[in-house]
Amino acid sequence: MSKKRITDDEAAQIGRALGDPNRLAIYTQIAQHDELFCGEMHAKSHISPPTLSHHLKVLTELGLIASRKDGLNVFYRIVPGTFKAYLDYLRQIGSRPMTK
């Protein structure tokens, strides 16, 4: 299996997405579980259901989380490869020699 790499643009989008305190909290909450039901996230959050839905959509579109439906319920889980690729991207930046 090939190692996932992200582009500069994808890294910037992920950085912006996780820079939002609500999105970071949602991502962290999901990451602490194998899967998390949307209703559980709403119960632990102070944001409205439409706003939660918007944040979940942004995280999904960036490939940071994935979902599955079970009847009327939607369960979310992280996509570890995407976050790892983001961290690898940041590490690569940090290891570049500085120029004057």
Side-chain angles (χ1 to χ4, degrees):
M1 181 159 100
S2 66
K3 192 173 183 180
K4 179 175 173 65
R5 296 188 65 111
I6 60 173
T7 65
D8 293 344
D9 187 53
E10 289 169 326
Q13 289 177 30
I14 291 170
R16 274 192 301 276
L18 295 177
D20 179 283
N22 287 320
R23 266 188 229 123
L24 181 60
I26 292 164
Y27 183 82
T28 301
Q29 196 175 16
I30 295 168
Q32 294 171 345
H33 298 85
D34 290 333
E35 279 190 323
L36 198 57
F37 167 56
C38 190
E40 292 173 296
M41 285 184 272
H42 176 63
K44 296 177 182 178
S45 173
H46 65 279
I47 59 177
S48 69
T51 301
L52 175 61
S53 179
H54 168 73
H55 289 311
L56 290 168
K57 180 181 178 207
V58 170
L59 295 171
T60 300
E61 288 175 348
L62 290 172
L64 289 166
I65 63 173
S67 64
R68 73 171 177 87
K69 283 193 76 142
D70 186 2
L72 297 176
N73 300 320
V74 181
F75 293 85
Y76 291 89
R77 66 188 175 286
I78 64 164
V79 178
T82 304
F83 193 73
K84 182 181 180 326
Y86 177 64
L87 291 178
D88 290 345
Y89 178 92
L90 295 176
R91 277 189 206 97
Q92 183 183 34
I93 291 172
S95 65
R96 291 181 187 157
M98 291 178 34
T99 59
K100 291 186 179 189

